Amino acid sequence: KKVSRLPRFVFLFLLLFLHPADSFAETEEEQIRVYFFHGTIRCYSCLRMSSLLGEALQQDFSNLLDSGVLQWRPVNIELAESAHYLREFGVSEHDVVLVKYRKGKPVRWVKLNDLWKNVERRKVLFSHVKERVETFRRERD
């Protein structure tokens, strides 16, 4: 089973390198980032949630990810450079947050911590992620 998980982790690392953290063109009018806040040491469920979130976004929003309009950002909340997230969004370890940026500034965010109840139910989790991201995109600020 461990061998079957390897491609997921490789996929996540590729996503991170293709979309470096906190870099985007200031000329972009609006962007949505999906943050997954985690600690340095992660349990099975945290690793699974991170992997599944990345896969769900790639499956349903690959065109938005490729264009940079939607960005996937796993963030180690224990690192000093991540402290500003605590102030900005009131997050803690294990939080999943959608944030809308306009001209580089966060204008709206929502926590998606209800996703955790489906961490072992892949199809349900994927469906829920798709619904929440689509709803967030449609909502006005």
Side-chain angles (χ1 to χ4, degrees):
K1 264 197 159 178
K2 288 183 182 179
V3 174
S4 66
R5 293 178 203 268
L6 182 62
R8 288 184 187 164
F9 292 111
V10 171
F11 171 78
L12 286 175
F13 286 116
L14 288 175
L15 268 179
L16 290 173
F17 290 126
L18 292 175
H19 301 284
D22 291 328
S23 67
F24 59 91
E26 288 292 329
T27 58
E28 294 288 335
E29 282 299 309
E30 290 186 357
Q31 292 180 318
I32 295 174
R33 291 188 190 167
V34 182
Y35 289 104
F36 173 64
F37 296 99
H38 61 81
T40 302
I41 298 173
R42 295 191 261 176
C43 66
Y44 166 80
S45 294
C46 291
L47 292 169
R48 181 168 172 80
M49 177 61 82
S50 182
S51 177
L52 290 175
L53 284 171
E55 287 179 43
L57 294 169
Q58 187 63 41
Q59 174 181 295
D60 293 313
F61 302 102
S62 62
N63 59 331
L64 295 175
L65 288 168
D66 291 343
S67 71
V69 171
L70 181 68
Q71 299 178 357
W72 165 233
R73 298 282 182 260
V75 175
N76 184 341
I77 201 70
E78 294 179 8
L79 299 178
E81 61 263 23
S82 302
H84 66 97
Y85 294 113
L86 298 170
R87 292 185 304 275
E88 285 181 89
F89 310 124
V91 297
S92 61
E93 202 173 301
H94 308 122
D95 282 345
V96 179
V97 182
L98 291 177
V99 182
K100 182 179 223 176
Y101 286 84
R102 186 172 294 124
K103 296 184 180 179
K105 305 287 184 201
V107 294
R108 183 168 54 91
W109 61 90
V110 62
K111 290 183 182 180
L112 305 181
N113 295 337
D114 57 334
L115 297 177
W116 279 97
K117 66 185 176 190
N118 296 311
V119 71
E120 292 299 330
R121 298 173 14 191
R122 187 176 197 269
K123 287 183 181 180
V124 175
L125 180 71
F126 276 39
S127 175
H128 197 82
V129 168
K130 181 178 181 179
E131 176 188 319
R132 295 298 299 269
V133 171
E134 286 175 345
T135 300
F136 189 77
R137 288 188 66 219
R138 285 192 304 266
E139 290 173 348
R140 297 285 173 210
D141 303 328

